[in-house]
Amino acid sequence: MKTSIGMTVTEHILEKQRENPEATGAFTRLLSELIVATKIISREVNKAGIVDILGYAGRQNIQEEDVQKLDEFSNRTIIERMCHIGQLCVMASEENADIIEIPSRYPKGNYVLIYDPLDGSSNIDVNVSIGTIFSIHRKTSSHEDGTLSDVLQPGYKQVAAGYFIYGSSTMMVYTTGEGVHGFTLFPGIGEFLLSHENIRIPERGRIFSVNESNYNYWSDGVRRLVDYFKSPDTKPPYTARYIGSLVSDFHRNLLKGGIFMYPADTKDPKKPHGKLRLMCEANPLAFVVKEAGGYASTLEKPILEIEPEELHQRVPLFIGSKEDVELAERYVRGELGLGSNL
Ligand code: AHM
Ligand code: MG
């Protein structure tokens, strides 16, 4: 593939399409429209401090979490932009209890879009980076309209995944299974230009990212692991970084190396498997990290191999540099203890 720093994301996707003689352009059209939707979201996120769009929308989502106005705006924007393009058979969003059907007046296609419209939205009003995460599958059912079974596919079957991060600049990072590429939005021209070609995560990092206030609710194995990261005997030492915004924590570790963790905990009996969702958070980031040379695990099995059971299923997530995540698996299996220096 001929790529060069500065090429537009559309050209990048088209280059890929040209290399595949069977490509119909449907996938290119799908991603292009998603990019338009996220440019609209990016503009709105940037305005958040100066227009009265902050604050709770006054209700909770189906997982009993507060919904903010920008979440709703982002969700609506993606639904409205993506419904009519003719490439999707069904969608699923973190903000909707059920799958989102494509209205009968629009043509249907062979792809499934699963997304978190605005992850980390509790950070909006303190100006911390937030993001949109997406996962794309091919339809497997024989119906023209997609079904729940088209959505509930394991992560290894994703055909594309990635995220948009609304930070000091807006970036798109995506994979179609041929490496991970990052594009930065140049606001003056409104285009995402290639800025991070073929991203590789370091094999081993020095950053661990976790919400340590949950320490007393973790298993012994997870506590041992975090004790290892903090121990003065660990050489070279780790450092802690936790923003509390998954896309931002993941993006930093992707570029610098390290491990992000959201373990299972006993804090909330309604969420025994941790907080993060398999379909719209763990799976897409697991695909990205794998393509960058990293790894994602629940500590019992690779994220990408989980057979999903429900749309809003939550899973423990350990994701990042391959050696760090493998080390986490060994700690929790009891193969390593404090003092094992690797
Ligand atoms: P959200 O999708 O409702 O925004 O919640 C997910 C966010 C992630 O961005 C972040 O990693 C996590 O929640 C932080 O959780 P906690 O505040 O428990 O550390
Ligand atoms: Mg989220």
Side-chain angles (χ1 to χ4, degrees):
M1 179 165 172
K2 284 188 284 139
T3 61
S4 56
I5 294 295
M7 80 191 295
T8 67
V9 65
T10 313
E11 185 58 21
H12 193 265
I13 300 164
L14 280 169
E15 281 276 346
K16 238 181 91 48
Q17 182 190 318
R18 283 184 209 113
E19 282 167 16
N20 178 0
E22 280 157 37
T24 58
F27 181 72
T28 306
R29 173 92 181 90
L30 193 174
L31 266 190
S32 304
E33 195 63 29
L34 185 63
I35 289 165
V36 174
T38 57
K39 282 182 193 169
I40 296 170
I41 297 170
S42 174
R43 188 206 54 193
E44 215 59 29
V45 168
N46 291 155
K47 284 194 327 201
I50 45 175
V51 295
D52 185 26
I53 199 164
L54 293 176
Y56 295 106
R59 65 175 179 84
Q60 295 190 315
N61 72 10
I62 53 117
Q63 292 152 46
E64 295 177 8
E65 294 155 332
D66 291 312
V67 173
Q68 296 194 294
K69 285 181 184 170
L70 264 177
D71 297 43
E72 289 185 348
F73 174 84
S74 308
N75 197 30
R76 231 180 29 239
T77 301
I78 293 177
I79 293 172
E80 282 167 10
R81 299 284 329 181
M82 301 308 292
C83 257
H84 68 273
I85 59 170
Q87 318 305 344
L88 292 172
C89 60
V90 67
M91 291 191 272
S93 162
E94 184 186 300
E95 298 294 342
N96 292 64
D98 299 315
I99 56 173
I100 304 164
E101 289 168 3
I102 307 297
S104 54
R105 61 184 180 280
Y106 297 132
K108 313 285 183 318
N110 285 323
Y111 288 103
V112 176
L113 173 66
I114 308 166
Y115 62 95
D116 182 350
L118 206 58
D119 181 74
S121 48
S122 62
N123 291 312
I124 294 167
D125 46 5
V126 288
N127 222 342
V128 165
S129 304
I130 48 185
T132 298
I133 309 174
F134 67 94
S135 160
I136 299 170
H137 282 274
R138 266 201 196 87
K139 180 167 79 147
T140 52
S141 70
S142 50
H143 309 268
E144 193 197 6
D145 294 330
T147 62
L148 182 60
S149 71
D150 293 305
V151 173
L152 294 184
Q153 299 189 54
Y156 70 85
K157 291 196 172 162
Q158 291 170 104
V159 293
Y163 56 88
F164 296 81
I165 178 167
Y166 312 111
S168 47
S169 55
T170 293
M171 273 192 77
M172 172 187 182
V173 174
Y174 88 109
T175 185
T176 53
E178 291 177 17
V180 178
H181 308 288
F183 300 80
T184 302
L185 181 63
F186 281 64
I189 55 170
E191 288 279 7
F192 281 100
L193 303 182
L194 183 61
S195 52
H196 297 64
E197 192 174 12
N198 203 15
I199 297 171
R200 303 295 297 169
I201 185 167
E203 288 274 299
R204 180 88 188 262
R206 288 291 150 210
I207 294 174
F208 74 96
S209 315
V210 71
N211 184 343
E212 227 186 312
S213 72
N214 294 327
Y215 186 92
N216 290 318
Y217 302 97
W218 294 331
S219 68
D220 289 347
V222 172
R223 281 201 287 251
R224 273 199 306 275
L225 172 69
V226 172
D227 290 343
Y228 165 77
F229 287 137
K230 291 167 44 171
S231 165
D233 298 328
T234 301
K235 303 267 181 324
Y238 279 79
T239 188
R241 293 283 183 276
Y242 190 72
I243 299 169
S245 186
L246 177 62
V247 173
S248 313
D249 279 309
F250 176 82
H251 184 68
R252 180 201 54 241
N253 291 4
L254 181 71
L255 299 182
K256 295 192 168 180
I259 181 169
F260 172 91
M261 305 177 269
Y262 210 109
D265 62 60
T266 55
K267 196 172 181 179
D268 180 351
K270 282 196 273 179
K271 296 177 191 165
H273 305 296
K275 181 177 183 188
L276 301 177
R277 294 87 172 164
L278 173 63
M279 303 308 296
C280 61
E281 294 174 324
N283 265 344
L285 298 186
F287 187 24
V288 170
V289 88
K290 173 175 174 274
E291 281 298 313
Y295 177 43
S297 169
T298 63
L299 295 191
E300 282 175 6
K301 79 192 293 185
I303 294 287
L304 292 174
E305 286 176 19
I306 299 173
E307 291 290 339
E309 286 165 12
E310 47 181 301
L311 191 50
H312 293 285
Q313 182 171 345
R314 295 175 195 262
V315 286
L317 178 63
F318 295 77
I319 187 166
S321 293
K322 194 163 185 289
E323 288 181 15
D324 290 308
V325 179
E326 284 172 352
L327 177 138
E329 287 180 329
R330 294 179 65 196
Y331 258 94
V332 170
R333 273 189 232 123
E335 290 169 22
L336 299 173
L338 257 191
S340 323
N341 221 337
L342 299 170

